[in-house]
Amino acid sequence: MSTTSDAPRWSRYVAIGDSFTEGLWDGPDGPDAPQRGWADLLASHLSARRTAAGEAPLEYANLAIRGRLLRPILVEQVPAALAMKPDLVSLVGGGNDILRPTADVDRMARNLEAGVVRLREAGVDVLLGTGVDAAGSPLVKATRNRVAIYNALIWSMARRHGAYVVDLWGMRALQDWRMWAEDRIHLTTDGHARVAQGALVGLGLTPDDAAWDDPLTPLPPTPRMQQAREDAAWVREHLYPWATRRLRGKSSGDLRVPKRPEISPVE
């Protein structure tokens, strides 16, 4: 993998969103340390290209917090991002809303578009993200129709307002479960690395890795009994705790603060 020579024009980048942008579960320093994730990696790639071109390092903040619904992202994180006077904001959210059967994707898209308009009117470039195609997930695929509609609305608003889009739905590599953590909702380190490359492509830049979306070498089918045991473990260790928190009105992000709340140069 090598860094390309096309230097990005952005100098101040703020990432906002939920656990996807916070970086779960890309934890090079362990699961209890601040997570890294695709947005941190994107910031590193952009900064490296700037310094290679003789520019100052990219300044970067990450305000994303796990468990956040779309409305708190827009109401709390968008104004905080604008206060930092960025020239690039990644705004990816709505996945936690769509997991709820009562999600109104049309209302979500209207609210998201209002956030995009607010950022664009301030002169900020915006990077949006589609939802992932969960066709291969036994339970999450129940959200597939809602995600597909939401994605179509995202592409339309991006066209209207000149926003960029990282096309997660179209990433072939993300169809492989080896890209996903044990909870089957968050990416592995390799998954985050590939999304960071996809974000470069979404921004109109050349990826560092030409094979960024190549599928992994196929594995033999998982025996049926082993798959049943793995599914049962997933329900016990991940689905049940998540459902219990929902019933109690709790979130995994309650009382958490952003991991990188101040904009500062990327090291």
Side-chain angles (χ1 to χ4, degrees):
M1 183 180 297
S2 61
T3 301
T4 61
S5 59
D6 50 340
R9 67 177 182 275
W10 303 285
S11 61
R12 294 171 67 86
Y13 166 39
V14 179
I16 61 179
D18 52 28
S19 57
F20 175 66
T21 300
E22 184 187 342
L24 271 64
W25 291 108
D26 179 18
D29 298 319
D32 298 324
Q35 304 295 281
R36 183 177 54 183
W38 72 272
D40 289 15
L41 294 170
L42 173 62
S44 294
H45 294 319
L46 295 176
S47 190
R49 295 183 185 202
R50 285 180 55 82
T51 56
E55 302 287 343
L58 181 81
E59 294 186 86
Y60 170 60
N62 189 318
L63 307 182
I65 298 177
R66 66 193 68 177
R68 287 296 189 266
L69 298 173
L70 181 60
R71 181 170 175 77
I73 293 171
L74 297 172
V75 171
E76 300 167 9
Q77 295 180 21
V78 167
L82 282 170
M84 298 180 187
K85 300 188 181 304
D87 49 17
L88 175 65
V89 167
S90 60
L91 169 52
V92 184
N96 290 313
D97 302 74
I98 286 177
L99 287 172
R100 291 155 170 77
T102 57
D104 184 340
V105 292
D106 293 300
R107 177 179 294 178
M108 289 171 56
R110 287 195 297 271
N111 292 338
L112 179 63
E113 186 162 12
V116 172
V117 168
R118 186 174 180 183
L119 290 163
R120 295 293 292 134
E121 288 180 343
V124 180
D125 283 333
V126 178
L127 175 64
L128 300 170
T130 67
V132 174
D133 186 357
S137 171
L139 290 178
V140 182
K141 70 179 180 183
T143 69
R144 191 170 187 246
N145 289 344
R146 295 196 292 276
V147 173
I149 294 170
Y150 190 50
N151 288 350
L153 295 169
I154 285 173
W155 281 109
S156 294
M157 74 178 72
R159 175 185 53 79
R160 283 192 291 270
H161 304 294
Y164 299 93
V165 181
V166 53
D167 183 15
L168 303 174
W169 179 280
M171 284 185 63
R172 298 170 297 169
L174 296 187
Q175 296 302 310
D176 192 308
W177 282 107
R178 286 170 286 180
M179 292 290 170
W180 296 89
E182 290 182 358
D183 65 4
R184 304 183 181 181
I185 294 177
H186 299 100
L187 294 169
T188 61
T189 293
D190 192 13
H192 278 288
R194 287 175 180 252
V195 169
Q197 294 295 310
L200 288 172
V201 172
L203 288 169
L205 301 174
T206 305
D208 294 330
D209 182 0
W212 67 276
D213 195 29
D214 286 357
L216 277 65
T217 302
L219 292 175
T222 303
R224 188 171 301 176
M225 287 300 296
Q226 178 183 338
Q227 185 64 59
R229 287 194 297 269
E230 291 175 356
D231 290 345
W234 174 72
V235 169
R236 181 177 63 254
E237 297 170 15
H238 299 287
L239 180 60
Y240 177 75
W242 176 83
T244 301
R245 287 196 303 271
R246 262 197 66 194
L247 291 172
R248 294 175 177 172
K250 303 292 185 180
S251 167
S252 59
D254 288 346
L255 305 179
R256 298 192 72 90
V257 296
K259 65 179 183 180
R260 193 180 173 111
E262 305 293 336
I263 195 162
S264 60
V266 174
E267 296 180 2

